[in-house]
Amino acid sequence: MSYGRISLQYHLSPGGEGAEVIYALRNNEKLSQNILNELAGSGQKIRKYYQKRGTANPNQDYYYMLRDTTPYEAVIIEYGFLDNTKDANKLKNNYKQYAQDVVEAVLNYKGIVPDLEYYTVKAGDTLYSIGKKFNISVEKLMQLNNLSNSFLSVGQKLKVSGEKPDISESISNIYVVKAGDTLYSIAKKHNTTVENLKALNDLTSNLLSIGQKLTVPSMNVYVVKAGDTLYGIAKKYNTTVDNLMKLNNLTSNLLSINQELLIP
């Protein structure tokens, strides 16, 4: 399972403070948002996330690491400015936490609950939000950490018990073209767009050949449990009932326990 490539670096240009993330033209901003949100929770100032187009060809990424890592989702994370005393001190004292923040952001982006023994409290955290993140009740958190109240402090370490996520990536991101396939039909099947498929595969036309291998967005498989409904599953994974029905060729809302559903 590949999550892409991440480059970590520091600003060398003068006159700024805080973290930035640069992401590829072919991708969206969600992963970059996750990363900056995690860093902000650890006290780092946040500047922006953005894309940077090439000067010779504005249809290509400026940075070769973003441009040449198709189809992987690549980001460049700039933690801060070394010529800024505040940033330099933060980087010196918090680089391990910042690295952990990036890992947690990627796991969150992939829908994976990290199996950690301890969690470091960040700004804005509550026992409820931490418990929800690690599938553990507030009462259990308080017991594990001998807490007598719900007050938390930034940097405090809490013992947690992570559980395995209830989704797992199992659908290959390689699709082999069959007779009758078109970019439109493949895009519809994999809940994406023709433009996205062409960008992922560096295609300049819509022509396909039988046996051709295409990179397609990965999907997850969800195993239906007792009490599940299409509405509840759609809400949990930020999609719609219609999308789930189309993706899984369903003709009704009826589900059965242990039924496997594709999740975009």
Side-chain angles (χ1 to χ4, degrees):
M1 187 185 302
S2 178
Y3 297 124
R5 182 175 298 180
I6 295 174
S7 172
L8 308 177
Q9 61 187 46
Y10 310 124
H11 291 290
L12 294 177
S13 57
E17 177 187 356
E20 295 181 350
V21 179
I22 309 161
Y23 62 100
L25 297 176
R26 61 184 176 272
N27 299 134
N28 62 53
E29 70 277 5
K30 182 62 177 175
L31 177 57
S32 301
Q33 286 180 324
N34 281 7
I35 291 170
L36 290 184
N37 287 340
E38 290 289 340
L39 291 173
S42 292
Q44 176 61 313
K45 182 177 179 179
I46 300 307
R47 288 170 60 85
K48 60 181 178 178
Y49 54 86
Y50 62 99
Q51 297 168 310
K52 190 166 184 179
R53 300 176 182 274
T55 52
N57 184 352
N59 293 318
Q60 290 188 336
D61 285 288
Y62 179 84
Y63 294 101
Y64 77 91
M65 196 212 75
L66 300 178
R67 184 174 64 246
D68 298 341
T69 52
T70 303
Y72 302 108
E73 185 159 355
V75 294
I76 298 174
I77 304 166
E78 299 182 330
Y79 281 160
F81 291 77
L82 284 181
D83 65 338
N84 182 297
T85 303
K86 289 182 179 179
D87 266 359
N89 288 333
K90 286 180 180 178
L91 292 168
K92 179 180 179 181
N93 297 324
N94 302 296
Y95 68 93
K96 290 183 179 180
Q97 181 59 48
Y98 291 169
Q100 182 62 44
D101 289 338
V102 173
V103 172
E104 290 188 19
V106 173
L107 291 177
N108 177 266
Y109 179 67
K110 296 299 293 185
I112 297 174
V113 179
D115 186 10
L116 303 175
E117 185 177 0
Y118 288 93
Y119 173 77
T120 304
V121 176
K122 296 190 284 293
D125 277 340
T126 64
L127 283 178
Y128 175 77
S129 67
I130 296 170
K132 187 176 181 181
K133 184 173 186 177
F134 291 96
N135 294 321
I136 186 173
S137 68
V138 171
E139 292 74 17
K140 184 66 174 177
L141 273 176
M142 294 183 72
Q143 291 174 7
L144 283 173
N145 295 279
N146 297 317
L147 300 177
S148 57
N149 58 56
S150 58
F151 293 112
L152 299 174
S153 57
V154 175
Q156 179 180 352
K157 291 189 178 296
L158 293 180
K159 190 168 185 178
V160 296
S161 59
E163 296 180 5
K164 292 182 179 179
D166 54 5
I167 59 173
S168 58
E169 191 171 8
S170 61
I171 304 301
S172 173
N173 65 343
I174 300 297
Y175 178 82
V176 181
V177 175
K178 300 187 292 292
D181 277 339
T182 64
L183 279 179
Y184 176 77
S185 66
I186 296 170
K188 187 176 180 181
K189 183 176 182 179
H190 292 276
N191 199 36
T192 186
T193 64
V194 171
E195 290 73 18
N196 195 26
L197 282 180
K198 293 177 75 171
L200 283 173
N201 294 278
D202 292 325
L203 300 178
T204 56
S205 78
N206 292 353
L207 297 178
L208 299 175
S209 57
I210 296 175
Q212 180 179 352
K213 293 183 178 180
L214 294 178
T215 297
V216 295
S218 298
M219 289 180 288
N220 296 307
V221 173
Y222 177 80
V223 180
V224 175
K225 301 188 291 293
D228 276 340
T229 64
L230 278 179
Y231 175 77
I233 296 170
K235 186 176 181 181
K236 184 175 183 179
Y237 293 104
N238 197 31
T239 185
T240 65
V241 171
D242 286 342
N243 277 345
L244 286 179
M245 293 184 71
K246 290 177 183 177
L247 195 58
N248 292 277
N249 296 316
L250 301 178
T251 57
S252 78
N253 292 350
L254 297 179
L255 298 176
S256 56
I257 296 175
N258 293 325
Q259 180 180 351
E260 293 186 347
L261 294 178
L262 293 178
I263 305 294

PDB file of all heavy atoms in Angstrom, residues 74-91:
ATOM      1  N   ALA A  74       2.188  13.506  -3.820  1.00  0.00           N
ATOM      2  CA  ALA A  74       3.400  14.052  -3.217  1.00  0.00           C
ATOM      3  C   ALA A  74       3.144  15.444  -2.659  1.00  0.00           C
ATOM      4  O   ALA A  74       2.396  16.227  -3.241  1.00  0.00           O
ATOM      5  CB  ALA A  74       4.528  14.111  -4.250  1.00  0.00           C
ATOM      6  N   VAL A  75       3.743  15.739  -1.522  1.00  0.00           N
ATOM      7  CA  VAL A  75       3.661  17.078  -0.946  1.00  0.00           C
ATOM      8  C   VAL A  75       5.037  17.490  -0.448  1.00  0.00           C
ATOM      9  O   VAL A  75       5.857  16.651  -0.074  1.00  0.00           O
ATOM     10  CB  VAL A  75       2.653  17.167   0.228  1.00  0.00           C
ATOM     11  CG1 VAL A  75       1.237  16.956  -0.244  1.00  0.00           C
ATOM     12  CG2 VAL A  75       3.001  16.178   1.328  1.00  0.00           C
ATOM     13  N   ILE A  76       5.298  18.791  -0.459  1.00  0.00           N
ATOM     14  CA  ILE A  76       6.518  19.356   0.115  1.00  0.00           C
ATOM     15  C   ILE A  76       6.111  20.133   1.354  1.00  0.00           C
ATOM     16  O   ILE A  76       5.303  21.062   1.282  1.00  0.00           O
ATOM     17  CB  ILE A  76       7.232  20.287  -0.884  1.00  0.00           C
ATOM     18  CG1 ILE A  76       7.671  19.501  -2.126  1.00  0.00           C
ATOM     19  CG2 ILE A  76       8.444  20.952  -0.225  1.00  0.00           C
ATOM     20  CD1 ILE A  76       8.247  20.371  -3.227  1.00  0.00           C
ATOM     21  N   ILE A  77       6.642  19.739   2.504  1.00  0.00           N
ATOM     22  CA  ILE A  77       6.288  20.377   3.770  1.00  0.00           C
ATOM     23  C   ILE A  77       7.461  21.231   4.233  1.00  0.00           C
ATOM     24  O   ILE A  77       8.566  20.722   4.412  1.00  0.00           O
ATOM     25  CB  ILE A  77       5.967  19.327   4.848  1.00  0.00           C
ATOM     26  CG1 ILE A  77       4.867  18.388   4.368  1.00  0.00           C
ATOM     27  CG2 ILE A  77       5.552  20.007   6.152  1.00  0.00           C
ATOM     28  CD1 ILE A  77       4.726  17.157   5.216  1.00  0.00           C
ATOM     29  N   GLU A  78       7.226  22.514   4.388  1.00  0.00           N
ATOM     30  CA  GLU A  78       8.250  23.425   4.884  1.00  0.00           C
ATOM     31  C   GLU A  78       7.868  23.823   6.309  1.00  0.00           C
ATOM     32  O   GLU A  78       6.910  24.555   6.532  1.00  0.00           O
ATOM     33  CB  GLU A  78       8.361  24.628   3.947  1.00  0.00           C
ATOM     34  CG  GLU A  78       8.763  24.206   2.536  1.00  0.00           C
ATOM     35  CD  GLU A  78       8.931  25.379   1.577  1.00  0.00           C
ATOM     36  OE1 GLU A  78       8.256  26.400   1.757  1.00  0.00           O
ATOM     37  OE2 GLU A  78       9.743  25.245   0.659  1.00  0.00           O
ATOM     38  N   TYR A  79       8.616  23.304   7.267  1.00  0.00           N
ATOM     39  CA  TYR A  79       8.281  23.468   8.687  1.00  0.00           C
ATOM     40  C   TYR A  79       8.363  24.911   9.169  1.00  0.00           C
ATOM     41  O   TYR A  79       7.636  25.310  10.076  1.00  0.00           O
ATOM     42  CB  TYR A  79       9.229  22.631   9.538  1.00  0.00           C
ATOM     43  CG  TYR A  79       8.912  21.169   9.619  1.00  0.00           C
ATOM     44  CD1 TYR A  79       9.896  20.256  10.006  1.00  0.00           C
ATOM     45  CD2 TYR A  79       7.650  20.688   9.333  1.00  0.00           C
ATOM     46  CE1 TYR A  79       9.606  18.907  10.103  1.00  0.00           C
ATOM     47  CE2 TYR A  79       7.362  19.344   9.421  1.00  0.00           C
ATOM     48  CZ  TYR A  79       8.336  18.450   9.799  1.00  0.00           C
ATOM     49  OH  TYR A  79       8.049  17.114   9.897  1.00  0.00           O
ATOM     50  N   GLY A  80       9.291  25.676   8.624  1.00  0.00           N
ATOM     51  CA  GLY A  80       9.468  27.032   9.127  1.00  0.00           C
ATOM     52  C   GLY A  80      10.698  27.696   8.535  1.00  0.00           C
ATOM     53  O   GLY A  80      11.371  27.141   7.672  1.00  0.00           O
ATOM     54  N   PHE A  81      11.005  28.908   9.020  1.00  0.00           N
ATOM     55  CA  PHE A  81      12.122  29.710   8.524  1.00  0.00           C
ATOM     56  C   PHE A  81      13.292  29.653   9.516  1.00  0.00           C
ATOM     57  O   PHE A  81      13.153  30.092  10.660  1.00  0.00           O
ATOM     58  CB  PHE A  81      11.682  31.169   8.335  1.00  0.00           C
ATOM     59  CG  PHE A  81      10.720  31.379   7.215  1.00  0.00           C
ATOM     60  CD1 PHE A  81       9.377  31.039   7.354  1.00  0.00           C
ATOM     61  CD2 PHE A  81      11.147  31.919   6.009  1.00  0.00           C
ATOM     62  CE1 PHE A  81       8.483  31.239   6.317  1.00  0.00           C
ATOM     63  CE2 PHE A  81      10.255  32.126   4.962  1.00  0.00           C
ATOM     64  CZ  PHE A  81       8.922  31.778   5.114  1.00  0.00           C
ATOM     65  N   LEU A  82      14.421  29.158   9.056  1.00  0.00           N
ATOM     66  CA  LEU A  82      15.575  29.029   9.948  1.00  0.00           C
ATOM     67  C   LEU A  82      16.152  30.377  10.367  1.00  0.00           C
ATOM     68  O   LEU A  82      16.808  30.476  11.399  1.00  0.00           O
ATOM     69  CB  LEU A  82      16.666  28.184   9.278  1.00  0.00           C
ATOM     70  CG  LEU A  82      16.413  26.677   9.241  1.00  0.00           C
ATOM     71  CD1 LEU A  82      17.578  25.970   8.571  1.00  0.00           C
ATOM     72  CD2 LEU A  82      16.201  26.123  10.642  1.00  0.00           C
ATOM     73  N   ASP A  83      15.939  31.431   9.556  1.00  0.00           N
ATOM     74  CA  ASP A  83      16.492  32.731   9.923  1.00  0.00           C
ATOM     75  C   ASP A  83      15.562  33.498  10.866  1.00  0.00           C
ATOM     76  O   ASP A  83      15.852  34.626  11.241  1.00  0.00           O
ATOM     77  CB  ASP A  83      16.779  33.567   8.668  1.00  0.00           C
ATOM     78  CG  ASP A  83      15.509  33.921   7.903  1.00  0.00           C
ATOM     79  OD1 ASP A  83      14.506  33.204   8.083  1.00  0.00           O
ATOM     80  OD2 ASP A  83      15.527  34.893   7.135  1.00  0.00           O
ATOM     81  N   ASN A  84      14.447  32.876  11.248  1.00  0.00           N
ATOM     82  CA  ASN A  84      13.546  33.468  12.212  1.00  0.00           C
ATOM     83  C   ASN A  84      13.775  32.785  13.559  1.00  0.00           C
ATOM     84  O   ASN A  84      13.654  31.565  13.674  1.00  0.00           O
ATOM     85  CB  ASN A  84      12.091  33.276  11.752  1.00  0.00           C
ATOM     86  CG  ASN A  84      11.081  33.921  12.685  1.00  0.00           C
ATOM     87  OD1 ASN A  84      10.973  33.548  13.844  1.00  0.00           O
ATOM     88  ND2 ASN A  84      10.342  34.877  12.171  1.00  0.00           N
ATOM     89  N   THR A  85      14.118  33.560  14.576  1.00  0.00           N
ATOM     90  CA  THR A  85      14.465  32.988  15.880  1.00  0.00           C
ATOM     91  C   THR A  85      13.338  32.132  16.451  1.00  0.00           C
ATOM     92  O   THR A  85      13.575  31.051  16.999  1.00  0.00           O
ATOM     93  CB  THR A  85      14.810  34.103  16.890  1.00  0.00           C
ATOM     94  OG1 THR A  85      15.880  34.890  16.349  1.00  0.00           O
ATOM     95  CG2 THR A  85      15.238  33.513  18.219  1.00  0.00           C
ATOM     96  N   LYS A  86      12.098  32.603  16.310  1.00  0.00           N
ATOM     97  CA  LYS A  86      10.958  31.838  16.831  1.00  0.00           C
ATOM     98  C   LYS A  86      10.863  30.473  16.151  1.00  0.00           C
ATOM     99  O   LYS A  86      10.725  29.435  16.798  1.00  0.00           O
ATOM    100  CB  LYS A  86       9.659  32.611  16.621  1.00  0.00           C
ATOM    101  CG  LYS A  86       9.497  33.835  17.497  1.00  0.00           C
ATOM    102  CD  LYS A  86       8.140  34.491  17.228  1.00  0.00           C
ATOM    103  CE  LYS A  86       7.942  35.719  18.104  1.00  0.00           C
ATOM    104  NZ  LYS A  86       6.631  36.378  17.831  1.00  0.00           N
ATOM    105  N   ASP A  87      10.944  30.482  14.824  1.00  0.00           N
ATOM    106  CA  ASP A  87      10.849  29.224  14.089  1.00  0.00           C
ATOM    107  C   ASP A  87      12.021  28.309  14.401  1.00  0.00           C
ATOM    108  O   ASP A  87      11.863  27.091  14.566  1.00  0.00           O
ATOM    109  CB  ASP A  87      10.794  29.488  12.585  1.00  0.00           C
ATOM    110  CG  ASP A  87       9.362  29.568  12.064  1.00  0.00           C
ATOM    111  OD1 ASP A  87       8.434  29.406  12.881  1.00  0.00           O
ATOM    112  OD2 ASP A  87       9.175  29.791  10.862  1.00  0.00           O
ATOM    113  N   ALA A  88      13.221  28.892  14.449  1.00  0.00           N
ATOM    114  CA  ALA A  88      14.409  28.084  14.719  1.00  0.00           C
ATOM    115  C   ALA A  88      14.297  27.372  16.068  1.00  0.00           C
ATOM    116  O   ALA A  88      14.622  26.185  16.193  1.00  0.00           O
ATOM    117  CB  ALA A  88      15.654  28.967  14.675  1.00  0.00           C
ATOM    118  N   ASN A  89      13.821  28.079  17.081  1.00  0.00           N
ATOM    119  CA  ASN A  89      13.659  27.475  18.401  1.00  0.00           C
ATOM    120  C   ASN A  89      12.573  26.404  18.402  1.00  0.00           C
ATOM    121  O   ASN A  89      12.704  25.344  19.036  1.00  0.00           O
ATOM    122  CB  ASN A  89      13.349  28.549  19.446  1.00  0.00           C
ATOM    123  CG  ASN A  89      14.549  29.412  19.769  1.00  0.00           C
ATOM    124  OD1 ASN A  89      15.696  28.975  19.644  1.00  0.00           O
ATOM    125  ND2 ASN A  89      14.322  30.646  20.174  1.00  0.00           N
ATOM    126  N   LYS A  90      11.473  26.695  17.704  1.00  0.00           N
ATOM    127  CA  LYS A  90      10.392  25.710  17.629  1.00  0.00           C
ATOM    128  C   LYS A  90      10.864  24.437  16.932  1.00  0.00           C
ATOM    129  O   LYS A  90      10.555  23.324  17.358  1.00  0.00           O
ATOM    130  CB  LYS A  90       9.187  26.296  16.890  1.00  0.00           C
ATOM    131  CG  LYS A  90       8.399  27.324  17.693  1.00  0.00           C
ATOM    132  CD  LYS A  90       7.220  27.848  16.882  1.00  0.00           C
ATOM    133  CE  LYS A  90       6.426  28.872  17.668  1.00  0.00           C
ATOM    134  NZ  LYS A  90       5.294  29.425  16.881  1.00  0.00           N
ATOM    135  N   LEU A  91      11.608  24.612  15.854  1.00  0.00           N
ATOM    136  CA  LEU A  91      12.110  23.454  15.126  1.00  0.00           C
ATOM    137  C   LEU A  91      13.088  22.643  15.974  1.00  0.00           C
ATOM    138  O   LEU A  91      13.060  21.416  15.978  1.00  0.00           O
ATOM    139  CB  LEU A  91      12.790  23.907  13.833  1.00  0.00           C
ATOM    140  CG  LEU A  91      11.863  24.502  12.772  1.00  0.00           C
ATOM    141  CD1 LEU A  91      12.674  25.177  11.678  1.00  0.00           C
ATOM    142  CD2 LEU A  91      10.979  23.420  12.178  1.00  0.00           C
TER     143      LEU A  91
END
